[in-house]
Amino acid sequence: MDKGLHFTICVVTTVLLLRESSQAGEENDPEVLAAPTSDSRGAAEGLPTLTVTTILEDPYVMVRGAELEGYCMDLLAALAGMLRFQYRVKVVGDGQYGAVAAGGNWTGMIGEILRRDADIAVAPLTVTSAREEVVSFTTPFLQTGIGILLRKDTTSQDMSFFHFLSPFSKETWTALLFAYLLTCFCLFLVARLSPCEWNEPKNEENHFTFLNSLWFGAGALALQGATPRPQALSVRVIAVVWWLFTLALLAAYIANFTALLSSGSEQLPIQTFEDLVKQRNLEFGTLEGSSTFYYFKNSKNPIHQMIYEYMEKRREHVLVKTYQEAVQRVMDSNYAFIGESISQDLAAARHCNLIRAPEVIGARGFGIATTQASPWTKPLSIAVLKLRESGDLDYLRNKWWESSCLRQSRDRWGPLEPPALGGLFLTLGIGLALGVLAALAELSSSSRRTAAHAKKSCCSVFTEEICTRLRIKGPARQSQETSGKANA
């Protein structure tokens, strides 16, 4: 009797231990972890249950402990709350997004949708024409494109000898030179026209020669005082406007130059896909079987065709299986990854030694895939639009794409173009015009008094004054003085 009781206890204990070990094994399996998300309250209310397929990719879907989290999980929870359905999530078995295999069958999440292994796919799944032919897509919940992910030290250049010119573009420097010469010419012109600056052109020496005007403008650019000092109101108007212009200009230059030095945002040697093809230092590739790969395969652009031929010939070396592998390879070797720009922005935000090249091509979107006859396609599209209109999608984007780097992007601290200083140039132009008008008004007033005293026509006196003041009298006056002394 004791032996039978002992045997029964051993059997029960063994069964319990086996059951606990099997449960622990299920908890360590990512697919089982992700699979059931049942809601007892929802089951009691009789809500429909959808099987959702997804793929593990940061920050869309990530395993945290015994649960899945990420952008797509938050989006799925919001959609379930709006449309009143339950869901169970499963990670795609082959780890692929979806492409046509050699036998004509679809792999990845698209294949699971077609085989009815899943009802919908909520993942960073790009909407393409080939996929749209076999499944249906909702309105895109994220917009993206194709970019180039690089490591900073593989793209860095030696600082240019003329790096101090980097804060402004070539067009801006050209505009500044033109503004400087125009202002100095206006100073020279107004100083000769104004009777307050030059009362007796025949007997006096005008200090605002063109060379002196150039020196005066250059002194203002360096925030230094320079002679001659203006006396007429018209000349002072131009001088004050030029001082304000140079003050704002120097502030913009110093701020932009400081940002360029602190952020290290020198010109990248690889800014476009054409630059990527021309260089020979970096290998480049994309995800195997991804929509990006087929984009270059089907493109008629010669540059894109060269990229596809390179990846096809060296596919064993340059094509990667997962996005995590791509990012790690960029960080560890001379490799450039071609992929979704929005995912590359995340990688650059998480890893401060990575940067995305400026050019983005092939605008596209991420959508939710369903079967073609699914009644959920339109309701899901409407729900996505409502989330966008309410700002919830922007909130999720900011939540999961939060940057851990304090660097400044090149788009923010690039060279200043002329439109950025357009108001400054407009102010300078208005000031120059006001100065010229004030000089003409002063000369006109003086001409009227002279005409009234000499009983001549005001227009004739005004014309004579202009001709006299604009005529260079220095050398002639000196020769007259010399001849006078000789005669004496």
Side-chain angles (χ1 to χ4, degrees):
M1 185 68 180
D2 293 338
K3 291 183 179 180
L5 180 60
H6 180 70
F7 177 76
T8 303
I9 293 174
C10 291
V11 170
V12 172
T13 303
T14 304
V15 170
L16 291 175
L17 290 174
L18 290 174
R19 183 177 179 181
E20 290 178 359
S21 63
S22 63
Q23 290 178 348
E26 291 179 355
E27 290 178 356
N28 292 327
D29 186 353
E31 293 193 12
V32 179
L33 264 178
T37 58
S38 58
D39 187 351
S40 59
R41 184 181 62 181
E45 295 178 357
L47 298 179
T49 301
L50 300 181
T51 301
V52 181
T53 180
T54 189
I55 191 170
L56 295 179
E57 181 175 329
D58 186 10
Y60 302 98
V61 181
M62 300 171 289
V63 178
R64 291 292 184 269
E67 297 180 355
L68 293 177
E69 67 175 16
Y71 178 93
C72 288
M73 293 297 99
D74 289 351
L75 174 63
L76 184 58
L79 294 174
M82 295 176 65
L83 300 180
R84 305 290 296 165
F85 65 83
Q86 300 180 87
Y87 58 90
R88 56 183 302 271
V89 182
K90 63 186 297 292
V91 178
V92 61
D94 58 5
Q96 300 292 320
Y97 289 87
V100 181
N105 297 323
W106 281 81
T107 62
M109 291 178 283
I110 301 297
E112 292 191 350
I113 295 291
L114 294 175
R115 294 190 300 270
R116 305 299 176 103
D117 294 339
D119 298 306
I120 61 175
V122 182
L125 191 60
T126 305
V127 180
T128 64
S129 58
R131 291 171 179 172
E132 190 75 53
E133 290 180 355
V134 294
V135 298
S136 295
F137 280 97
T138 65
T139 301
F141 56 85
L142 268 181
Q143 298 294 333
T144 182
I146 300 176
I148 308 171
L149 185 66
L150 307 159
R151 197 173 73 248
K152 285 184 178 180
D153 56 0
T154 61
T155 62
S156 60
Q157 284 183 318
D158 294 334
M159 188 172 292
S160 171
F161 186 74
F162 295 99
H163 186 67
F164 68 93
L165 299 176
S166 300
F168 293 156
S169 65
K170 295 179 180 178
E171 294 79 5
T172 304
W173 284 115
T174 303
L176 292 178
L177 178 61
F178 177 77
Y180 166 69
L181 294 176
L182 179 62
T183 303
C184 294
F185 176 77
C186 288
L187 281 171
F188 165 74
L189 178 65
V190 170
R192 284 187 170 269
L193 291 178
S194 176
C196 299
E197 192 71 41
W198 196 19
N199 291 323
E200 296 293 336
K202 296 180 180 180
N203 302 323
E204 295 181 5
E205 182 73 23
N206 190 296
H207 298 292
F208 268 98
T209 63
F210 188 67
L211 290 178
N212 287 344
S213 299
L214 291 175
W215 179 248
F216 182 87
L221 278 173
L223 297 181
Q224 302 295 322
T227 56
R229 302 186 182 277
Q231 299 178 4
L233 175 64
S234 54
V235 183
R236 289 179 178 180
V237 168
I238 294 180
V240 168
V241 172
W242 178 243
W243 291 340
L244 293 176
F245 177 84
T246 55
L247 185 64
L249 181 70
L250 290 174
Y253 177 87
I254 294 172
N256 209 40
F257 190 55
T258 304
L260 284 171
L261 292 178
S262 61
S263 63
S265 56
E266 293 82 16
Q267 287 284 339
L268 291 175
I270 299 177
Q271 299 197 33
T272 65
F273 286 87
E274 184 176 359
D275 296 336
L276 185 64
V277 172
K278 291 180 179 179
Q279 59 81 38
R280 293 293 180 268
N281 297 326
L282 299 178
E283 292 183 322
F284 54 88
T286 186
L287 290 175
E288 184 176 4
S290 65
S291 60
T292 301
F293 180 82
Y294 289 99
Y295 173 86
F296 288 99
K297 180 179 180 181
N298 300 325
S299 176
K300 303 301 182 183
N301 188 306
I303 299 297
H304 300 171
Q305 279 295 308
M306 294 174 64
I307 292 176
Y308 167 72
E309 292 172 2
Y310 173 87
M311 294 190 297
E312 180 64 26
K313 291 179 181 178
R314 300 173 54 85
R315 61 182 305 137
E316 298 296 331
H317 301 283
V318 300
L319 297 184
V320 293
K321 301 294 183 182
T322 64
Y323 176 76
Q324 289 78 10
E325 178 187 351
V327 174
Q328 193 63 39
R329 186 168 176 182
V330 172
M331 296 176 64
D332 296 340
S333 63
N334 291 334
Y335 180 78
F337 173 62
I338 302 175
E340 302 293 346
S341 60
I342 193 169
S343 300
Q344 294 175 347
D345 289 338
L346 175 70
R350 300 285 176 84
H351 307 282
C352 300
N353 61 332
L354 300 182
I355 189 171
R356 178 176 62 81
E359 185 180 35
V360 176
I361 61 175
R364 54 182 65 188
F366 292 155
I368 300 173
T370 66
T371 58
Q372 288 187 332
S374 174
W376 291 97
T377 307
K378 187 173 182 179
L380 286 171
S381 293
I382 296 175
V384 169
L385 289 174
K386 289 182 178 179
L387 291 175
R388 179 179 299 168
E389 293 169 356
S390 64
D392 290 340
L393 292 184
D394 292 333
Y395 168 75
L396 293 180
R397 172 73 164 78
N398 296 331
K399 173 184 176 181
W400 292 103
W401 268 259
E402 183 179 1
S403 175
S404 59
C405 302
L406 298 179
R407 64 178 179 85
Q408 312 291 346
S409 67
R410 181 183 181 275
D411 293 336
R412 181 178 178 183
W413 295 113
L416 287 180
E417 300 292 339
L421 301 175
L424 198 57
F425 282 99
L426 178 62
T427 303
L428 177 63
I430 294 174
L432 295 180
L434 289 176
V436 173
L437 291 177
L440 292 176
E442 292 171 348
L443 183 59
S444 176
S445 176
S446 175
S447 299
R448 282 197 301 268
R449 291 194 300 268
T450 304
H453 182 72
K455 296 182 180 181
K456 294 182 179 180
S457 171
C458 182
C459 292
S460 62
V461 174
F462 183 77
T463 304
E464 290 176 2
E465 287 286 342
I466 289 181
C467 294
T468 303
R469 293 173 184 279
L470 294 182
R471 191 180 300 119
I472 304 300
K473 287 290 186 179
R477 194 160 46 245
Q478 291 177 1
S479 61
Q480 292 175 0
E481 293 176 357
T482 304
S483 62
K485 291 179 181 180
N487 294 331

